Amino acid sequence: MADDSGLGLAVDLGSGPGFQTIALSEMGYSPVLALDTSESLLKELQLHQKELPVRTICADLLDLSHFVSPASVNAIVCMGDTITHLETKDAVESLLGSVFDALVPGGRLVISYRDLSVEATGLDRFIPVHADEDKVMTCFLEFDKTDTVMVHDLVYSRVNHQWLLEKSSYRKLRLPIGWLDDAMVRVGFVVHKGQAGRLLRLVGRKPQPR
């Protein structure tokens, strides 16, 4: 499945409407596989991909090995809190192992996410997500004694000069940055940490064989 042109094969895990997918393609990766469980978001991506070498796949992140061969992928990204939607830390470690196996030596995994391992209190539990003239998104965090946090999304959208409210709730994993760093090292990555706006960013490189 790898391509000899450009920068080779890349995968966007939890691609959503394809912000990273299209960026990877425009950078020169070819083809780019976009995996997501939302058919509607993948259809939105298809509307914007034009002639770019992008393939959309409606599938779970943990099924990555079903769609790529071992040591065939040059870059894999998992951005914007996608990894915290996995149900358990064991699932995270399983994904990291699959990603490591899929990457070529020297290939890279990029993860960005919000570390919610430290309980927020008071008004700090309200997090602004997005705002423009037609949409305002914020979320409210509800902590308990588990490894997860309940996230309540509030989305105000302006439709025909009226503001409409949509509400939803779901759980996210609380992944300490130190734990994720260690988990990546355990499967074999060389890890570099950084910051991407409000999100933490980890870059794991699969070492070249000695």
mmCIF file of all heavy atoms in Angstrom, residues 17 19 44 81 114 126-140 151-158 163-166 170 172 198-199:
data_model
loop_
_atom_site.group_PDB
_atom_site.id
_atom_site.type_symbol
_atom_site.label_atom_id
_atom_site.label_comp_id
_atom_site.label_asym_id
_atom_site.label_seq_id
_atom_site.Cartn_x
_atom_site.Cartn_y
_atom_site.Cartn_z
ATOM 1 N N PRO A 17 -13.445 15.661 10.024
ATOM 2 C CA PRO A 17 -13.654 16.221 8.687
ATOM 3 C C PRO A 17 -12.373 16.429 7.903
ATOM 4 O O PRO A 17 -12.413 16.948 6.781
ATOM 5 C CB PRO A 17 -14.348 17.552 8.980
ATOM 6 C CG PRO A 17 -13.833 17.945 10.324
ATOM 7 C CD PRO A 17 -13.672 16.655 11.092
ATOM 8 N N PHE A 19 -9.030 17.922 8.771
ATOM 9 C CA PHE A 19 -8.092 19.047 8.837
ATOM 10 C C PHE A 19 -6.646 18.562 8.694
ATOM 11 O O PHE A 19 -5.865 19.114 7.913
ATOM 12 C CB PHE A 19 -8.265 19.820 10.143
ATOM 13 C CG PHE A 19 -9.637 20.408 10.323
ATOM 14 C CD1 PHE A 19 -10.465 19.969 11.341
ATOM 15 C CD2 PHE A 19 -10.108 21.377 9.465
ATOM 16 C CE1 PHE A 19 -11.736 20.495 11.507
ATOM 17 C CE2 PHE A 19 -11.376 21.919 9.615
ATOM 18 C CZ PHE A 19 -12.196 21.468 10.638
ATOM 19 N N GLU A 44 -17.973 14.697 4.905
ATOM 20 C CA GLU A 44 -17.558 16.107 4.851
ATOM 21 C C GLU A 44 -16.133 16.218 4.319
ATOM 22 O O GLU A 44 -15.820 17.108 3.517
ATOM 23 C CB GLU A 44 -17.666 16.730 6.246
ATOM 24 C CG GLU A 44 -17.370 18.215 6.274
ATOM 25 C CD GLU A 44 -17.564 18.831 7.655
ATOM 26 O OE1 GLU A 44 -18.225 18.197 8.506
ATOM 27 O OE2 GLU A 44 -17.035 19.939 7.875
ATOM 28 N N ASP A 81 -7.341 15.405 20.882
ATOM 29 C CA ASP A 81 -8.027 14.634 21.935
ATOM 30 C C ASP A 81 -8.579 13.300 21.460
ATOM 31 O O ASP A 81 -9.278 12.615 22.215
ATOM 32 C CB ASP A 81 -9.171 15.436 22.573
ATOM 33 C CG ASP A 81 -8.735 16.191 23.822
ATOM 34 O OD1 ASP A 81 -7.599 15.987 24.280
ATOM 35 O OD2 ASP A 81 -9.527 16.980 24.345
ATOM 36 N N ARG A 114 -5.479 16.902 25.379
ATOM 37 C CA ARG A 114 -5.554 17.705 26.594
ATOM 38 C C ARG A 114 -5.407 16.783 27.801
ATOM 39 O O ARG A 114 -6.167 15.825 27.976
ATOM 40 C CB ARG A 114 -6.896 18.456 26.654
ATOM 41 C CG ARG A 114 -7.031 19.416 27.823
ATOM 42 C CD ARG A 114 -8.356 20.163 27.761
ATOM 43 N NE ARG A 114 -8.330 21.206 26.740
ATOM 44 C CZ ARG A 114 -8.947 21.135 25.578
ATOM 45 N NH1 ARG A 114 -9.663 20.073 25.253
ATOM 46 N NH2 ARG A 114 -8.880 22.126 24.716
ATOM 47 N N PHE A 126 -14.899 24.870 32.998
ATOM 48 C CA PHE A 126 -15.477 25.329 31.743
ATOM 49 C C PHE A 126 -14.346 25.631 30.761
ATOM 50 O O PHE A 126 -13.450 26.432 31.074
ATOM 51 C CB PHE A 126 -16.322 26.580 31.958
ATOM 52 C CG PHE A 126 -17.574 26.323 32.759
ATOM 53 C CD1 PHE A 126 -17.543 26.343 34.152
ATOM 54 C CD2 PHE A 126 -18.773 26.056 32.119
ATOM 55 C CE1 PHE A 126 -18.687 26.105 34.891
ATOM 56 C CE2 PHE A 126 -19.927 25.821 32.855
ATOM 57 C CZ PHE A 126 -19.884 25.844 34.245
ATOM 58 N N ILE A 127 -14.375 24.994 29.584
ATOM 59 C CA ILE A 127 -13.299 25.148 28.609
ATOM 60 C C ILE A 127 -13.878 25.679 27.297
ATOM 61 O O ILE A 127 -14.738 25.025 26.687
ATOM 62 C CB ILE A 127 -12.588 23.806 28.353
ATOM 63 C CG1 ILE A 127 -11.959 23.291 29.651
ATOM 64 C CG2 ILE A 127 -11.531 23.965 27.275
ATOM 65 C CD1 ILE A 127 -11.325 21.926 29.504
ATOM 66 N N PRO A 128 -13.442 26.856 26.840
ATOM 67 C CA PRO A 128 -13.889 27.339 25.529
ATOM 68 C C PRO A 128 -13.244 26.507 24.424
ATOM 69 O O PRO A 128 -12.050 26.207 24.476
ATOM 70 C CB PRO A 128 -13.396 28.788 25.506
ATOM 71 C CG PRO A 128 -12.238 28.811 26.461
ATOM 72 C CD PRO A 128 -12.535 27.797 27.521
ATOM 73 N N VAL A 129 -14.037 26.105 23.439
ATOM 74 C CA VAL A 129 -13.539 25.249 22.369
ATOM 75 C C VAL A 129 -13.446 26.001 21.047
ATOM 76 O O VAL A 129 -12.438 25.943 20.353
ATOM 77 C CB VAL A 129 -14.448 24.008 22.208
ATOM 78 C CG1 VAL A 129 -13.964 23.135 21.042
ATOM 79 C CG2 VAL A 129 -14.502 23.209 23.507
ATOM 80 N N HIS A 130 -14.506 26.742 20.717
ATOM 81 C CA HIS A 130 -14.544 27.420 19.418
ATOM 82 C C HIS A 130 -15.581 28.535 19.473
ATOM 83 O O HIS A 130 -16.608 28.405 20.146
ATOM 84 C CB HIS A 130 -14.916 26.424 18.304
ATOM 85 C CG HIS A 130 -15.134 27.068 16.974
ATOM 86 N ND1 HIS A 130 -14.097 27.410 16.142
ATOM 87 C CD2 HIS A 130 -16.284 27.432 16.324
ATOM 88 C CE1 HIS A 130 -14.592 27.965 15.043
ATOM 89 N NE2 HIS A 130 -15.903 27.993 15.132
ATOM 90 N N ALA A 131 -15.308 29.605 18.742
ATOM 91 C CA ALA A 131 -16.293 30.693 18.657
ATOM 92 C C ALA A 131 -16.111 31.454 17.356
ATOM 93 O O ALA A 131 -14.991 31.830 16.998
ATOM 94 C CB ALA A 131 -16.154 31.644 19.843
ATOM 95 N N ASP A 132 -17.202 31.639 16.626
ATOM 96 C CA ASP A 132 -17.225 32.544 15.485
ATOM 97 C C ASP A 132 -18.605 33.188 15.440
ATOM 98 O O ASP A 132 -19.399 33.035 16.377
ATOM 99 C CB ASP A 132 -16.861 31.819 14.176
ATOM 100 C CG ASP A 132 -17.814 30.681 13.831
ATOM 101 O OD1 ASP A 132 -19.021 30.780 14.161
ATOM 102 O OD2 ASP A 132 -17.364 29.695 13.221
ATOM 103 N N GLU A 133 -18.921 33.896 14.355
ATOM 104 C CA GLU A 133 -20.166 34.658 14.329
ATOM 105 C C GLU A 133 -21.412 33.772 14.260
ATOM 106 O O GLU A 133 -22.517 34.239 14.549
ATOM 107 C CB GLU A 133 -20.166 35.619 13.145
ATOM 108 C CG GLU A 133 -20.051 34.943 11.803
ATOM 109 C CD GLU A 133 -19.984 35.954 10.663
ATOM 110 O OE1 GLU A 133 -19.851 37.158 10.949
ATOM 111 O OE2 GLU A 133 -20.068 35.531 9.503
ATOM 112 N N ASP A 134 -21.220 32.486 13.922
ATOM 113 C CA ASP A 134 -22.374 31.601 13.791
ATOM 114 C C ASP A 134 -22.371 30.418 14.750
ATOM 115 O O ASP A 134 -23.356 29.669 14.810
ATOM 116 C CB ASP A 134 -22.466 31.051 12.359
ATOM 117 C CG ASP A 134 -22.765 32.137 11.347
ATOM 118 O OD1 ASP A 134 -23.657 32.959 11.623
ATOM 119 O OD2 ASP A 134 -22.090 32.175 10.303
ATOM 120 N N LYS A 135 -21.297 30.231 15.499
ATOM 121 C CA LYS A 135 -21.243 29.070 16.387
ATOM 122 C C LYS A 135 -20.361 29.360 17.589
ATOM 123 O O LYS A 135 -19.285 29.952 17.459
ATOM 124 C CB LYS A 135 -20.721 27.843 15.642
ATOM 125 C CG LYS A 135 -20.689 26.561 16.472
ATOM 126 C CD LYS A 135 -20.347 25.348 15.609
ATOM 127 C CE LYS A 135 -21.492 25.026 14.663
ATOM 128 N NZ LYS A 135 -21.249 23.738 13.928
ATOM 129 N N VAL A 136 -20.818 28.935 18.761
ATOM 130 C CA VAL A 136 -20.038 29.045 19.996
ATOM 131 C C VAL A 136 -20.063 27.672 20.671
ATOM 132 O O VAL A 136 -21.135 27.128 20.939
ATOM 133 C CB VAL A 136 -20.617 30.108 20.952
ATOM 134 C CG1 VAL A 136 -19.803 30.148 22.248
ATOM 135 C CG2 VAL A 136 -20.631 31.472 20.292
ATOM 136 N N MET A 137 -18.871 27.131 20.914
ATOM 137 C CA MET A 137 -18.760 25.811 21.533
ATOM 138 C C MET A 137 -17.975 25.912 22.836
ATOM 139 O O MET A 137 -16.906 26.524 22.884
ATOM 140 C CB MET A 137 -18.054 24.830 20.590
ATOM 141 C CG MET A 137 -18.704 24.664 19.243
ATOM 142 S SD MET A 137 -17.721 23.650 18.099
ATOM 143 C CE MET A 137 -17.660 22.085 18.998
ATOM 144 N N THR A 138 -18.509 25.312 23.880
ATOM 145 C CA THR A 138 -17.797 25.223 25.146
ATOM 146 C C THR A 138 -18.094 23.866 25.757
ATOM 147 O O THR A 138 -19.034 23.172 25.351
ATOM 148 C CB THR A 138 -18.217 26.349 26.111
ATOM 149 O OG1 THR A 138 -17.349 26.371 27.234
ATOM 150 C CG2 THR A 138 -19.652 26.161 26.589
ATOM 151 N N CYS A 139 -17.269 23.451 26.711
ATOM 152 C CA CYS A 139 -17.546 22.185 27.389
ATOM 153 C C CYS A 139 -17.371 22.357 28.889
ATOM 154 O O CYS A 139 -16.654 23.254 29.358
ATOM 155 C CB CYS A 139 -16.664 21.058 26.863
ATOM 156 S SG CYS A 139 -14.909 21.190 27.261
ATOM 157 N N PHE A 140 -18.044 21.502 29.619
ATOM 158 C CA PHE A 140 -18.009 21.491 31.077
ATOM 159 C C PHE A 140 -17.514 20.118 31.517
ATOM 160 O O PHE A 140 -18.011 19.097 31.034
ATOM 161 C CB PHE A 140 -19.393 21.776 31.655
ATOM 162 C CG PHE A 140 -19.489 21.572 33.145
ATOM 163 C CD1 PHE A 140 -18.942 22.491 34.014
ATOM 164 C CD2 PHE A 140 -20.112 20.442 33.667
ATOM 165 C CE1 PHE A 140 -19.014 22.302 35.383
ATOM 166 C CE2 PHE A 140 -20.186 20.239 35.027
ATOM 167 C CZ PHE A 140 -19.646 21.179 35.897
ATOM 168 N N VAL A 151 -17.507 14.678 29.967
ATOM 169 C CA VAL A 151 -17.443 15.937 29.227
ATOM 170 C C VAL A 151 -18.844 16.273 28.723
ATOM 171 O O VAL A 151 -19.490 15.455 28.066
ATOM 172 C CB VAL A 151 -16.477 15.835 28.033
ATOM 173 C CG1 VAL A 151 -16.416 17.169 27.282
ATOM 174 C CG2 VAL A 151 -15.090 15.420 28.509
ATOM 175 N N HIS A 152 -19.318 17.464 29.049
ATOM 176 C CA HIS A 152 -20.614 17.942 28.583
ATOM 177 C C HIS A 152 -20.363 19.051 27.557
ATOM 178 O O HIS A 152 -19.787 20.089 27.895
ATOM 179 C CB HIS A 152 -21.443 18.491 29.745
ATOM 180 C CG HIS A 152 -21.647 17.501 30.856
ATOM 181 N ND1 HIS A 152 -22.600 16.514 30.824
ATOM 182 C CD2 HIS A 152 -20.977 17.349 32.042
ATOM 183 C CE1 HIS A 152 -22.546 15.801 31.937
ATOM 184 N NE2 HIS A 152 -21.561 16.287 32.692
ATOM 185 N N ASP A 153 -20.775 18.811 26.331
ATOM 186 C CA ASP A 153 -20.594 19.800 25.263
ATOM 187 C C ASP A 153 -21.854 20.654 25.107
ATOM 188 O O ASP A 153 -22.970 20.133 25.079
ATOM 189 C CB ASP A 153 -20.311 19.107 23.932
ATOM 190 C CG ASP A 153 -18.858 18.719 23.782
ATOM 191 O OD1 ASP A 153 -18.036 19.178 24.592
ATOM 192 O OD2 ASP A 153 -18.540 17.949 22.856
ATOM 193 N N LEU A 154 -21.649 21.963 24.993
ATOM 194 C CA LEU A 154 -22.727 22.906 24.724
ATOM 195 C C LEU A 154 -22.372 23.662 23.441
ATOM 196 O O LEU A 154 -21.329 24.326 23.384
ATOM 197 C CB LEU A 154 -22.891 23.898 25.878
ATOM 198 C CG LEU A 154 -23.147 23.290 27.267
ATOM 199 C CD1 LEU A 154 -23.139 24.385 28.324
ATOM 200 C CD2 LEU A 154 -24.463 22.533 27.286
ATOM 201 N N VAL A 155 -23.222 23.533 22.429
ATOM 202 C CA VAL A 155 -22.951 24.149 21.138
ATOM 203 C C VAL A 155 -24.127 25.047 20.752
ATOM 204 O O VAL A 155 -25.250 24.572 20.561
ATOM 205 C CB VAL A 155 -22.741 23.086 20.039
ATOM 206 C CG1 VAL A 155 -22.423 23.764 18.708
ATOM 207 C CG2 VAL A 155 -21.628 22.117 20.430
ATOM 208 N N TYR A 156 -23.851 26.346 20.677
ATOM 209 C CA TYR A 156 -24.853 27.307 20.219
ATOM 210 C C TYR A 156 -24.595 27.604 18.737
ATOM 211 O O TYR A 156 -23.486 28.007 18.364
ATOM 212 C CB TYR A 156 -24.773 28.604 21.016
ATOM 213 C CG TYR A 156 -25.350 28.525 22.408
ATOM 214 C CD1 TYR A 156 -24.544 28.198 23.496
ATOM 215 C CD2 TYR A 156 -26.708 28.771 22.631
ATOM 216 C CE1 TYR A 156 -25.077 28.123 24.779
ATOM 217 C CE2 TYR A 156 -27.241 28.698 23.907
ATOM 218 C CZ TYR A 156 -26.420 28.373 24.983
ATOM 219 O OH TYR A 156 -26.951 28.294 26.248
ATOM 220 N N SER A 157 -25.609 27.389 17.904
ATOM 221 C CA SER A 157 -25.492 27.657 16.471
ATOM 222 C C SER A 157 -26.565 28.645 16.041
ATOM 223 O O SER A 157 -27.731 28.520 16.441
ATOM 224 C CB SER A 157 -25.647 26.356 15.671
ATOM 225 O OG SER A 157 -24.666 25.414 16.046
ATOM 226 N N ARG A 158 -26.165 29.617 15.218
ATOM 227 C CA ARG A 158 -27.129 30.589 14.720
ATOM 228 C C ARG A 158 -27.712 30.103 13.408
ATOM 229 O O ARG A 158 -27.006 29.899 12.420
ATOM 230 C CB ARG A 158 -26.471 31.956 14.525
ATOM 231 C CG ARG A 158 -27.467 33.016 14.062
ATOM 232 C CD ARG A 158 -27.010 34.425 14.342
ATOM 233 N NE ARG A 158 -25.708 34.722 13.784
ATOM 234 C CZ ARG A 158 -25.075 35.890 13.969
ATOM 235 N NH1 ARG A 158 -25.635 36.823 14.727
ATOM 236 N NH2 ARG A 158 -23.893 36.098 13.435
ATOM 237 N N TRP A 163 -30.554 31.570 17.735
ATOM 238 C CA TRP A 163 -29.514 30.750 18.327
ATOM 239 C C TRP A 163 -30.137 29.467 18.875
ATOM 240 O O TRP A 163 -31.051 29.498 19.684
ATOM 241 C CB TRP A 163 -28.802 31.505 19.450
ATOM 242 C CG TRP A 163 -27.881 32.567 18.938
ATOM 243 C CD1 TRP A 163 -28.154 33.890 18.764
ATOM 244 C CD2 TRP A 163 -26.533 32.377 18.500
ATOM 245 N NE1 TRP A 163 -27.066 34.549 18.253
ATOM 246 C CE2 TRP A 163 -26.049 33.638 18.086
ATOM 247 C CE3 TRP A 163 -25.683 31.274 18.420
ATOM 248 C CZ2 TRP A 163 -24.759 33.820 17.605
ATOM 249 C CZ3 TRP A 163 -24.390 31.454 17.940
ATOM 250 C CH2 TRP A 163 -23.939 32.718 17.545
ATOM 251 N N LEU A 164 -29.614 28.321 18.404
ATOM 252 C CA LEU A 164 -30.096 27.013 18.828
ATOM 253 C C LEU A 164 -29.027 26.318 19.655
ATOM 254 O O LEU A 164 -27.832 26.409 19.348
ATOM 255 C CB LEU A 164 -30.451 26.150 17.615
ATOM 256 C CG LEU A 164 -31.474 26.739 16.637
ATOM 257 C CD1 LEU A 164 -31.687 25.783 15.478
ATOM 258 C CD2 LEU A 164 -32.794 27.045 17.360
ATOM 259 N N LEU A 165 -29.456 25.611 20.702
ATOM 260 C CA LEU A 165 -28.526 24.925 21.605
ATOM 261 C C LEU A 165 -28.583 23.415 21.382
ATOM 262 O O LEU A 165 -29.652 22.818 21.400
ATOM 263 C CB LEU A 165 -28.868 25.241 23.061
ATOM 264 C CG LEU A 165 -28.080 24.452 24.129
ATOM 265 C CD1 LEU A 165 -26.594 24.763 24.048
ATOM 266 C CD2 LEU A 165 -28.634 24.773 25.524
ATOM 267 N N GLU A 166 -27.399 22.814 21.178
ATOM 268 C CA GLU A 166 -27.262 21.363 21.136
ATOM 269 C C GLU A 166 -26.414 20.923 22.328
ATOM 270 O O GLU A 166 -25.406 21.563 22.645
ATOM 271 C CB GLU A 166 -26.594 20.913 19.839
ATOM 272 C CG GLU A 166 -27.377 21.223 18.580
ATOM 273 C CD GLU A 166 -26.622 20.800 17.346
ATOM 274 O OE1 GLU A 166 -26.613 19.597 17.036
ATOM 275 O OE2 GLU A 166 -26.008 21.675 16.709
ATOM 276 N N TYR A 170 -20.213 12.714 27.059
ATOM 277 C CA TYR A 170 -19.430 11.514 26.781
ATOM 278 C C TYR A 170 -18.235 11.511 27.741
ATOM 279 O O TYR A 170 -17.914 12.524 28.362
ATOM 280 C CB TYR A 170 -18.943 11.499 25.328
ATOM 281 C CG TYR A 170 -18.291 12.791 24.893
ATOM 282 C CD1 TYR A 170 -16.925 12.997 25.048
ATOM 283 C CD2 TYR A 170 -19.053 13.827 24.363
ATOM 284 C CE1 TYR A 170 -16.330 14.188 24.678
ATOM 285 C CE2 TYR A 170 -18.481 15.023 23.983
ATOM 286 C CZ TYR A 170 -17.114 15.197 24.142
ATOM 287 O OH TYR A 170 -16.541 16.391 23.785
ATOM 288 N N LYS A 172 -14.118 10.855 28.596
ATOM 289 C CA LYS A 172 -12.768 10.862 28.057
ATOM 290 C C LYS A 172 -11.814 10.284 29.095
ATOM 291 O O LYS A 172 -12.020 10.438 30.305
ATOM 292 C CB LYS A 172 -12.309 12.284 27.709
ATOM 293 C CG LYS A 172 -12.869 12.847 26.424
ATOM 294 C CD LYS A 172 -12.230 14.194 26.131
ATOM 295 C CE LYS A 172 -12.723 14.767 24.812
ATOM 296 N NZ LYS A 172 -12.092 16.078 24.523
ATOM 297 N N ARG A 198 -3.481 24.916 23.416
ATOM 298 C CA ARG A 198 -3.940 24.393 24.702
ATOM 299 C C ARG A 198 -3.652 22.907 24.859
ATOM 300 O O ARG A 198 -3.854 22.337 25.929
ATOM 301 C CB ARG A 198 -5.454 24.625 24.861
ATOM 302 C CG ARG A 198 -5.895 26.080 24.894
ATOM 303 C CD ARG A 198 -7.366 26.166 25.246
ATOM 304 N NE ARG A 198 -7.854 27.535 25.244
ATOM 305 C CZ ARG A 198 -8.453 28.109 24.211
ATOM 306 N NH1 ARG A 198 -8.647 27.407 23.101
ATOM 307 N NH2 ARG A 198 -8.868 29.362 24.269
ATOM 308 N N LEU A 199 -3.195 22.267 23.786
ATOM 309 C CA LEU A 199 -3.006 20.824 23.802
ATOM 310 C C LEU A 199 -1.536 20.461 23.980
ATOM 311 O O LEU A 199 -0.639 21.187 23.544
ATOM 312 C CB LEU A 199 -3.516 20.207 22.503
ATOM 313 C CG LEU A 199 -4.982 20.452 22.150
ATOM 314 C CD1 LEU A 199 -5.311 19.785 20.820
ATOM 315 C CD2 LEU A 199 -5.902 19.938 23.237
#
